[in-house]
């Protein structure tokens, strides 16, 4: 029997991420002995060793690395199915609520495009209700995969479109967002070399896959925090040209001449069969 239960996957994921049975059991709210037995039973059923156990602790085997990756995908898919089913169920039956789509967007990005899309789609007969869900840097991918969002505006090269269907909507250049009083802010254009290792003005760091990249810049949690730190002269950031819409008077935006263009896509899960989503995609591609 090769089928896996979500309970087994959650148990294994906890151990694989913590690499410690005690911490994993505490995270799961259970005792350690039944967790150990559950992992051993899973290994027997699959016929492979998932974890290497020795005096130094616990580590993943090659098979365990595969299940860690595949398990995340499977659990995201199960969670997404539950979330999207609940949203669809709200519109079932006579007199039910309108269909609702959740659209994930990077906070303050593609502002004009988003306004045009929402206005054009709202004018369509039978348009679904659109809930706009702002996200941090590169969070749209995870929101699509785990069902928090049905559709997203994604920005290559910052976002990965792997595993999603998508349509290109817009291309634009990139800008360096700097404190207005900084000497670089007086330049008409900059290059990426100009803004590399600027003394006293490190690049802001956004989390990716739950952790922050190394560097001296501040760890950014949301758009408001970033805006304030730039205004105070503590950091800088690189954004698509359309990010000018959220800049403060204490900010300056200078075009980067050698940065690759940012391509905005509307993206959605490849397996989606939503009629409402299909209508939104048609509207987006006509803009």
């Amino acid at each position: 029997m090769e089928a896996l239960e979500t309970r087994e996957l959650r148990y294994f994921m906890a151990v694989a991420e913590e690499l410690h049975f005690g911490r994993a059991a505490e995270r799961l709210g259970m005792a350690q002995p039944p967790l150990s037995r559950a992992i051993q039973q899973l290994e027997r059923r699959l016929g492979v060793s998932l974890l290497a156990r020795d005096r130094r602790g616990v580590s993943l085997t090659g098979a365990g690395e595969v299940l860690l990756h595949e398990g995340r995908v499977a659990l995201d898919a199960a969670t997404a199915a539950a979330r999207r089913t609940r949203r669809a169920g709200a519109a079932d039956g006579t007199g039910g609520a309108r269909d609702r789509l959740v659209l994930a967007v990077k906070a303050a990005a593609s502002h004009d495009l988003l306004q045009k899309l929402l206005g054009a789609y709202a004018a369509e007969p039978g348009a679904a209700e659109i809930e706009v869900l702002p996200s941090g840097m590169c969070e749209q991918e995870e929101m699509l995969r785990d069902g928090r969002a049905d559709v997203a505006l994604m920005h290559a090269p910052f976002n990965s479109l792997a595993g999603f269907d998508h349509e290109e909507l817009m291309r634009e250049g990139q800008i360096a967002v700097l404190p207005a009083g900084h000497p670089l802010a007086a330049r008409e254009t900059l290059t990426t070399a100009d803004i590399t290792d600027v003394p006293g003005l490190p690049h802001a760091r956004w989390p990716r896959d739950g952790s922050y990249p190394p560097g001296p810049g501040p760890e950014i949690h949301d758009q408001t925090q970033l805006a304030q730190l730039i205004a105070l002269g503590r950091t800088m950031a690189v954004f698509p040209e359309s990010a000018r819409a959220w800049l403060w008077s204490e900010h300056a935006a200078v075009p980067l001449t050698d940065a690759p263009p940012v391509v905005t896509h509307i993206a959605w899960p490849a397996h989606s069969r939503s009629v409402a989503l299909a209508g939104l995609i048609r509207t987006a591609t006509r803009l």
Side-chain angles (χ1 to χ4, degrees), residues 4-11 74-75 78:
L4 295 174
E5 298 177 4
T6 56
R7 175 185 58 84
E8 293 177 308
L9 286 177
R10 293 187 192 282
Y11 286 179
L75 288 177

Side-chain angles (χ1 to χ4, degrees), residues 87 97-105 113-134 148-153 266-267 274-284:
R87 282 201 289 275
R98 277 197 302 164
D99 286 342
R100 180 166 65 96
L101 294 173
V102 178
L103 170 61
V105 298
L113 175 64
L114 179 59
Q115 282 193 319
K116 291 177 182 176
L117 174 57
L118 294 176
Y121 181 67
E124 293 288 333
E129 176 187 355
I130 303 295
E131 177 186 341
V132 177
L133 182 61
R148 283 176 288 168
D150 302 296
V151 60
L153 294 184
I266 188 166
S274 168
V275 174
L277 176 58
L280 179 64
I281 303 305
R282 285 194 298 271
T283 301

Side-chain angles (χ1 to χ4, degrees), residues 1-22:
M1 179 178 178
E2 296 183 355
L4 295 174
E5 298 177 4
T6 56
R7 175 185 58 84
E8 293 177 308
L9 286 177
R10 293 187 192 282
Y11 286 179
F12 170 75
M13 296 291 290
V15 177
E17 291 172 355
E18 298 290 345
L19 291 179
H20 189 281
F21 276 90

Side-chain angles (χ1 to χ4, degrees), residues 106 109-110 155 158 170 172-175 177 238-244 246 262 264:
K106 188 170 75 173
S110 304
H155 310 279
F158 302 113
M170 181 178 72
E172 59 185 320
Q174 297 193 55
I175 55 174
V177 180
V238 174
F239 278 94
E241 182 78 27
S242 58
R244 290 180 183 271
W246 64 264
V262 176
T264 300

